[in-house]
Amino acid sequence: MLSYIRIPDIQIPGIILCLVIAFPSTVFANQTEADPFRPFPDQLAPSLFNEVQDKAFGGILDEEKALYYYVLKHLRDTSLKDQKQAAEFNLQQRRSEIKSLRDHPERELPIFPDLFKNSDRYKGRLVTLTGRVRKLIHYPAADDNQYGMKTLYEAWLFTDDSQQNPTVIICTEVPPALKEGLPEGSDVIDHVTVTGYLFKMYVYNAQDTSRVAPLILAKQLEWNPKTADERGSRLFSQILAGTLIVLMAGIAIAIWKATQRDKKFRERRLQKKQDQADFSQLETPQEKTQPEKTTPETKNSESNPQPDSGT
């Protein structure tokens, strides 16, 4: 899979490369005091990116290759912590320029829409974005990049406020689990953070037409799966399961107790009936019927009277 960002192995004009390599301090140092957006020594001067052409077809142009690789080298060799501090400083500077945010400091700045609409304001400035990556590929760096870079990684990052519009990230490092691309069986990874320079607005071919996306050059991708949330979810599941077990046990005990109460009630009722029973009444019918019985002799005397002896 070929990347639109990949640079063909074309020889860099020697004079451009020499100027960037031999005189970086001269190019940047003269603008340190004049540029309020270079608060840290490790942050490049935004004016260095003035000659980069936005929305130009062809990815990175030949005349941009020297700066492209120099920025990647600069990012590789500087502290990610300092980069993040500079990005936060730039963000606060940007917020101070927007009246609605000055009046309501509690509001969030939608970084992607602002970056997309005001790319000139962000050009060459460190910025931090967080979102999910849906595409991650790697390919060899140009052989003549002069900095010993072997592999570049290209990630397509989607933020919560980008409305399905990607930010294309080029970096030299990724977590070990992403060396070969997205994890097997995954088509997206979440909780990815990147800090880097907006290099240009570049054109890519979408399914329906050509579109524009910010191109960020960065030191590395930071992938921070929410292990705490997963642990919390597991803990919640365990608590829920435990609660259900206790509830079911409580119901079972309640049913058993009710059954025992019913059994005892029936036993007491039966015992009460037995205690109230008058067994003497069972002999009464026999006593009443015995006087009424006649012996055979009595019946015979009554049915066969003796003749009168005087006749």
Side-chain angles (χ1 to χ4, degrees), residues 60-126:
I60 305 301
L61 305 180
D62 292 342
E63 56 270 26
E64 298 169 348
K65 289 179 60 179
L67 179 61
Y68 176 87
Y69 278 106
Y70 179 80
V71 174
L72 287 173
K73 179 260 182 187
H74 172 82
L75 288 162
R76 182 190 65 184
D77 297 342
T78 55
S79 166
L80 180 60
K81 179 180 178 181
D82 288 344
Q83 294 171 22
K84 289 184 174 182
Q85 289 178 347
E88 179 61 24
F89 176 88
N90 294 337
L91 175 63
Q92 297 305 321
Q93 288 290 326
R94 179 56 181 158
R95 290 180 60 90
S96 68
E97 299 171 2
I98 303 175
K99 184 178 184 303
S100 61
L101 297 181
R102 292 198 306 268
D103 296 340
H104 301 280
E106 74 282 0
R107 294 181 180 177
E108 293 289 335
L109 171 63
I111 298 178
F112 182 90
D114 190 47
L115 184 153
F116 194 90
K117 296 177 182 178
N118 303 284
S119 59
D120 289 340
R121 168 61 185 78
Y122 284 87
K123 182 72 68 66
R125 314 210 190 271
L126 284 165

Side-chain angles (χ1 to χ4, degrees), residues 93-301:
Q93 288 290 326
R94 179 56 181 158
R95 290 180 60 90
S96 68
E97 299 171 2
I98 303 175
K99 184 178 184 303
S100 61
L101 297 181
R102 292 198 306 268
D103 296 340
H104 301 280
E106 74 282 0
R107 294 181 180 177
E108 293 289 335
L109 171 63
I111 298 178
F112 182 90
D114 190 47
L115 184 153
F116 194 90
K117 296 177 182 178
N118 303 284
S119 59
D120 289 340
R121 168 61 185 78
Y122 284 87
K123 182 72 68 66
R125 314 210 190 271
L126 284 165
V127 63
T128 297
L129 297 173
T130 298
R132 55 203 170 275
V133 168
R134 294 183 180 175
K135 173 183 175 183
L136 177 60
I137 61 176
H138 62 280
Y139 46 82
D143 294 335
D144 55 359
N145 66 75
Q146 305 294 320
Y147 303 111
M149 296 180 189
K150 301 299 182 182
T151 304
L152 297 181
Y153 297 89
E154 178 182 322
W156 290 52
L157 180 75
F158 296 80
T159 62
D160 291 340
D161 56 8
S162 67
Q163 299 181 354
Q164 303 305 311
N165 295 299
T167 299
V168 181
I169 311 297
I170 304 296
C171 60
T172 57
E173 301 175 28
V174 295
L178 304 179
K179 288 286 185 180
E180 299 301 322
L182 296 177
E184 185 176 356
S186 301
D187 55 4
V188 61
I189 56 173
D190 209 346
H191 310 297
V192 177
T193 299
V194 64
T195 298
Y197 289 99
L198 173 62
F199 189 77
K200 68 186 301 182
M201 301 296 290
Y202 107 102
V203 179
Y204 69 96
N205 293 324
Q207 295 180 350
D208 52 352
T209 184
S210 296
R211 297 182 180 274
V212 177
L215 173 60
I216 301 289
L217 303 187
K219 178 184 180 75
Q220 67 184 71
L221 288 183
E222 295 182 276
W223 183 30
N224 301 299
K226 291 296 185 180
T227 54
D229 290 350
E230 293 175 359
R231 291 175 182 173
S233 299
R234 288 196 296 268
L235 179 60
F236 175 77
S237 300
Q238 293 172 355
I239 293 175
L240 180 60
T243 302
L244 291 175
I245 292 174
V246 172
L247 181 61
M248 293 175 64
I251 293 174
I253 293 173
I255 294 175
W256 179 81
K257 288 184 175 180
T259 303
Q260 293 299 312
R261 286 196 298 269
D262 291 343
K263 182 179 179 180
K264 291 180 179 180
F265 176 77
R266 290 194 298 270
E267 290 176 352
R268 288 196 300 269
R269 186 174 181 183
L270 179 60
Q271 183 66 37
K272 184 177 181 181
K273 287 183 177 179
Q274 291 176 351
D275 294 342
Q276 293 177 351
D278 186 3
F279 292 99
S280 62
Q281 295 178 359
L282 297 177
E283 300 177 355
T284 304
Q286 295 180 358
E287 295 174 352
K288 290 182 178 180
T289 56
Q290 285 179 0
E292 295 178 358
K293 289 183 180 181
T294 58
T295 63
E297 291 77 11
T298 305
K299 289 183 177 180
N300 290 335
S301 61

